[in-house]
């Protein structure tokens, strides 16, 4: 164990139930809602979240935007857009890394201490799960190494497959 293990946690379940300063949403570029985790976050937050998202005017792939959390237990939602997997030769790894980095930068800027991530791009966007997990963990580790905020990052896995991929990777690398 090293110093990261206290700042990175793994959780299996629904991100909308996380009582954290911010949950990250795997949104699409419109920020106007979608399926998967995006739909779950909008359902749980209530219609005021969509009203605020409408004022933002979208978000490019790899970037992030912040809103309030409304009826969620989380105070804020950081909306980021991961890449759609199109075989891996279209900059997908770099774009996914950017989605994590932009979310972390925005969290830091807003003084967020606890931040929960879903497994961005591994659902409808089909990014291979092992590669996505490794990239997510490495990006978060390297950010935490250089920054004191966020204090804690929680990877929330909704599907068992992702949970065990993350568990194995975290246990062998942290
Ligand atoms: P993307 O379009 O970025 O692939 P998805 O929402 O389809 O986004 O999937 C991203 C990940 O979010 C998937 O691993 C999926 O299992 C997970 N997921 C779906 N619903 C929830 C939820 N309520 N809480 C946490 N993770 C969720």
């Amino acid at each position: 164990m090293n110093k990261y293990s206290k700042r990175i946690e793994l959780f299996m379940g629904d991100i909308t139930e996380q009582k954290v300063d911010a949950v990250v949403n795997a949104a699409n570029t419109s920020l106007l809602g979608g399926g998967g985790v995006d739909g779950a976050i909008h359902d749980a937050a209530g219609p005021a979240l969509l009203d605020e998202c409408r004022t933002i005017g979208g978000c490019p792939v790899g970037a992030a935007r912040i809103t309030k959390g409304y009826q969620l237990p989380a105070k804020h939602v950081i909306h980021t857009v991961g890449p759609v997997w199109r075989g891996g030769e279209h900059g997908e790894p770099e774009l996914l890394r950017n989605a994590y980095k932009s979310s972390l930068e925005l969290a830091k800027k807003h003084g967020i201490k606890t931040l929960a991530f879903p497994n961005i791009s591994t659902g409808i966007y089909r990014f291979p799960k092992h590669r996505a997990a490794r990239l997510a963990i490495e990006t978060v580790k390297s950010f935490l190494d250089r920054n004191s905020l966020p204090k804690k990052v929680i990877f929330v896995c909704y599907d068992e497959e992702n949970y065990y991929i993350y568990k194995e990777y975290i246990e062998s690398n942290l």
Side-chain angles (χ1 to χ4, degrees):
M1 285 224 286
N2 67 21
K3 61 182 173 164
Y4 297 111
S5 56
K6 285 196 169 62
R7 294 178 66 193
I8 293 181
E9 276 181 18
L10 185 60
F11 185 85
M12 186 157 77
D14 185 344
I15 202 166
T16 66
E17 294 171 5
Q18 289 286 317
K19 292 185 186 66
V20 285
D21 290 340
V23 293
V24 175
N25 182 17
N28 57 49
T29 53
S30 76
L31 296 187
L32 299 181
V37 70
D38 195 2
I41 285 174
H42 276 275
D43 283 351
L49 177 60
L50 187 56
D51 290 343
E52 185 175 353
C53 284
R54 278 203 189 94
T55 69
I56 296 174
C59 177
V61 179
R65 303 286 184 263
I66 193 165
T67 65
K68 289 189 265 183
Y70 299 97
Q71 290 167 37
L72 288 168
K75 292 187 202 92
H76 296 91
V77 179
I78 291 178
H79 306 260
T80 191
V81 186
V84 176
W85 181 261
R86 292 193 289 140
E89 302 299 322
H90 299 83
E92 296 95 327
E94 193 57 27
L95 291 168
L96 185 58
R97 195 172 295 119
N98 289 346
Y100 280 94
K101 268 199 237 163
S102 309
S103 303
L104 290 159
E105 290 287 0
L106 200 51
K108 176 185 164 188
K109 192 173 150 200
H110 287 265
I112 280 158
K113 297 191 182 81
T114 50
L115 179 67
F117 276 106
N119 309 136
I120 302 166
S121 283
T122 68
I124 299 159
Y125 284 3
R126 304 181 315 273
F127 201 106
K129 290 181 180 176
H130 278 95
R131 254 184 106 172
R134 202 176 77 188
L135 195 149
I137 293 164
E138 283 175 0
T139 305
V140 167
K141 266 175 74 171
S142 105
F143 191 90
L144 296 184
D145 191 22
R146 290 175 286 110
N147 296 279
S148 54
L149 279 178
K151 282 188 179 165
K152 186 173 282 187
V153 167
I154 305 162
F155 289 111
V156 179
C157 301
Y158 196 61
D159 58 282
E160 245 181 56
E161 192 188 354
N162 260 323
Y163 179 77
Y164 287 108
I165 290 170
Y166 270 77
K167 188 167 154 53
E168 198 186 336
Y169 199 76
I170 286 175
E171 281 171 359
S172 59
N173 285 278
L174 293 186

